[in-house]
Amino acid sequence: MKKRSLKELNRIGIPEFKAQKKAPIVLVLDNIRSAHNVGAAFRTADAFAIEKIVLCGITAQPPHREILKTAIGASQSVEWEYKKENVAALKQLKAEEYKIIGVEQTDESTSLEQVEVSKMKKYALVFGNEVQGIDDQLLPLLDEGLEIPQFGTKHSLNVSVSMGIVLWTYFRAWKYGRIN
């Protein structure tokens, strides 16, 4: 076994990335405090070729230095937009027929291993503030709550780790037609 070189990985360039078909997934970052987490979101969104990222409220926007450092160029390949009002952002996505999934620990959340993902639907995955979670005003707008099962002593994961886990689950279902 040997590591593949960058040349052997055959990565596409930004123009090819922008032209390729995207997974019908939008990431909504609701008042994310850490620009490093925002940069990680861009990098993960690039890896899974999703449609776009919607940055809301206090969430940092490119070209913030810490985003650029963590995203390593993905803020140039992934489409994004800023919406000051998170409620308006979700209402717009609903009007565009996205199923709104809030990644949050609620009394009605579905555990990730039980989620059903349809290749025929578009999804907006909402991730909340690192301390407060998803804004309470957004909860009535969610079509579903989603929770990542955890078995240790902590009650949460870093938001960028959660994004990676959830995005892979939805991307895999879209790309390969299965979850398990």
Side-chain angles (χ1 to χ4, degrees):
M1 177 183 309
K2 75 173 189 80
K3 294 180 193 175
R4 290 192 286 170
S5 69
L6 289 177
K7 185 176 181 181
E8 291 170 321
L9 291 174
N10 284 331
R11 297 291 186 214
I12 61 175
I14 291 174
E16 294 85 7
F17 178 86
K18 287 185 177 278
Q20 78 179 355
K21 183 176 181 178
K22 303 292 187 296
I25 302 168
V26 171
L27 272 183
V28 179
L29 306 186
D30 176 37
N31 291 302
I32 301 295
R33 295 179 315 155
S34 167
H36 289 291
N37 284 334
V38 177
F42 273 95
R43 195 164 167 185
T44 304
D46 177 274
F48 297 128
I50 70 163
E51 284 182 9
K52 69 178 173 180
I53 297 175
V54 178
L55 308 169
C56 298
I58 66 164
T59 305
Q61 304 159 53
H64 190 285
R65 182 176 55 93
E66 291 174 357
I67 292 174
L68 299 178
K69 179 180 179 182
T70 311
I72 59 169
S75 59
Q76 295 175 338
S77 59
V78 176
E79 295 297 321
W80 66 274
E81 61 185 52
Y82 174 75
K83 299 281 187 184
K84 181 174 177 61
E85 299 297 327
N86 54 9
V87 171
L90 288 196
K91 285 182 177 179
Q92 180 181 340
L93 289 165
K94 261 191 186 297
E96 295 171 8
E97 299 183 354
Y98 284 87
K99 184 172 181 181
I100 312 296
I101 309 295
V103 181
E104 185 64 82
Q105 298 167 329
T106 75
D107 60 344
E108 297 180 25
S109 293
T110 301
S111 191
L112 184 61
E113 80 280 0
Q114 297 176 344
V115 72
E116 294 182 18
V117 180
S118 168
K119 287 185 80 159
M120 306 308 290
K121 292 185 180 175
K122 302 187 301 183
Y123 295 94
L125 304 173
V126 183
F127 293 86
N129 177 277
E130 295 90 337
V131 175
Q132 303 297 323
I134 293 174
D135 187 335
D136 287 343
Q137 296 181 83
L138 299 182
L139 296 179
L141 298 172
L142 301 179
D143 294 309
E144 186 175 355
L146 180 66
E147 186 171 337
I148 300 169
Q150 298 170 55
F151 307 97
T153 62
K154 302 302 174 197
H155 64 9
S156 67
L157 295 165
N158 178 279
V159 68
S160 67
V161 172
S162 295
M163 283 184 247
I165 293 168
V166 173
L167 265 176
W168 169 244
T169 300
Y170 278 77
F171 176 82
R172 185 171 72 170
W174 173 77
K175 179 79 171 171
Y176 304 111
R178 64 184 184 276
I179 294 177
N180 296 325

